Amino acid sequence: DAMVIQNPRYQVTQFGKPVTLSCSQTLNHNVMYWYQQKSSQAPKLLFHYYDKDFNNEADTPDNFQSRRPNTSFCFLDIRSPGLGDAAMYLCATSTNWGGSETQYFGPGTRLLVL
Amino acid sequence: GEDVEQSLFLSVREGDSSVINCTYTDSSSTYLYWYKQEPGAGLQLLTYIFSNMDMKQDQRLTVLLNKKDKHLSLRIADTQTGDSAIYFCAELGGSQGNLIFGKGTKLSVKP
């Protein structure tokens, strides 16, 4: 059974057109993460939520926003996608932050910007 | 700063053992992980090791940790074509509590 679900799996958007990626989890985990993974690169953490507390990485562009309306769902909003934002976006969850907490990843959404 | 380095490619023959190496810089890392990523898919946790351990074995997988040299390796015994994927090493950043990934090692298994 899928535990971390991402929709859609593939998303095509136009340059400058806002886009929202979705993640949901059935694990009831406190923490949800969004990573950006560009081709042949390591996944890079954009931000994470601990419950409702939002934590932005220092170098995450302002173009990226996130919402977590409840425990199960988390959204990634890209306000004005540029060509450089084309990447795989990975959602992950963990019970708590840090320590021995294993992160469970979804299958990712591949974003293409035309 | 925190950094994780891996070689980018490894090619082996089916049935041989594969050894994927990783070095990290954060000596305060408590946990180190190996993730597998198949083409077009997300990351799948393979195994992890706590920093006070030297070795962990899980079926065909053996993780070796040399904390003095900050060196981590993943050995896959009897490598199969289904093992072809990108393998990411990651450390749990001691100062930030987040995962720091290497760029991944692409393992190709030839019949």
Side-chain angles (χ1 to χ4, degrees):
Chain A
D1 291 334
M3 297 183 290
V4 183
I5 302 156
Q6 291 190 244
N7 285 306
R9 295 293 309 278
Y10 299 91
Q11 177 74 56
V12 181
T13 191
Q14 292 177 329
F15 184 94
K17 185 174 180 183
V19 66
T20 294
L21 308 183
S22 166
C23 177
S24 63
Q25 52 134 339
T26 59
L27 298 163
N28 204 33
H29 280 172
N30 290 318
V31 190
M32 294 186 78
Y33 309 78
W34 279 105
Y35 289 86
Q36 179 192 62
Q37 185 184 19
K38 295 188 178 181
S39 181
S40 303
Q41 297 290 318
K44 178 180 175 302
L45 183 64
L46 294 173
F47 23 62
H48 75 275
Y49 272 95
Y50 189 106
D51 196 13
K52 291 187 181 300
D53 291 334
F54 177 71
N55 297 273
N56 201 30
E57 293 300 298
D59 55 355
T60 298
D62 293 339
N63 199 23
F64 292 87
Q65 304 285 324
S66 185
R67 295 170 284 134
R68 190 178 185 187
N70 54 52
T71 301
S72 301
F73 284 87
C74 195
F75 300 99
L76 170 63
D77 301 309
I78 308 176
R79 291 192 295 187
S80 181
L83 298 178
D85 297 326
M88 174 81 94
Y89 290 88
L90 298 167
C91 175
T93 74
S94 63
T95 310
N96 284 305
W97 169 254
S100 63
E101 303 304 328
T102 299
Q103 293 187 24
Y104 295 88
F105 283 80
T109 294
R110 184 166 294 280
L111 178 68
L112 180 62
V113 181
L114 300 178
Chain B
E2 299 159 335
D3 200 10
V4 178
E5 299 284 341
Q6 302 178 238
S7 53
L8 295 182
F9 301 99
L10 177 65
S11 180
V12 300
R13 293 213 172 272
E14 192 173 19
D16 288 350
S17 292
S18 307
V19 179
I20 303 171
N21 293 301
C22 169
T23 58
Y24 60 98
T25 56
D26 188 350
S27 58
S28 64
S29 290
T30 51
Y31 286 86
L32 295 127
Y33 302 84
W34 284 103
Y35 281 87
K36 177 183 180 182
Q37 186 177 38
E38 295 183 8
L43 296 174
Q44 174 196 353
L45 178 66
L46 282 179
T47 188
Y48 65 91
I49 189 167
F50 187 48
S51 59
N52 69 351
M53 298 169 65
D54 297 324
M55 186 182 87
K56 181 178 180 181
Q57 186 151 3
D58 184 1
Q59 299 181 329
R60 290 191 298 124
L61 306 178
T62 303
V63 179
L64 294 178
L65 174 61
N66 181 330
K67 198 173 178 185
K68 174 176 169 289
D69 295 338
K70 300 193 192 70
H71 182 266
L72 182 74
S73 68
L74 173 69
R75 179 176 180 269
I76 305 172
D78 188 25
T79 313
Q80 302 298 307
T81 54
D83 295 323
S84 294
I86 299 176
Y87 291 80
F88 289 92
C89 170
E91 63 170 346
L92 188 66
S95 59
Q96 298 295 327
N98 56 309
L99 282 180
I100 309 296
F101 286 91
K103 288 188 176 181
T105 299
K106 184 173 183 178
L107 175 64
S108 298
V109 183
K110 298 180 179 174

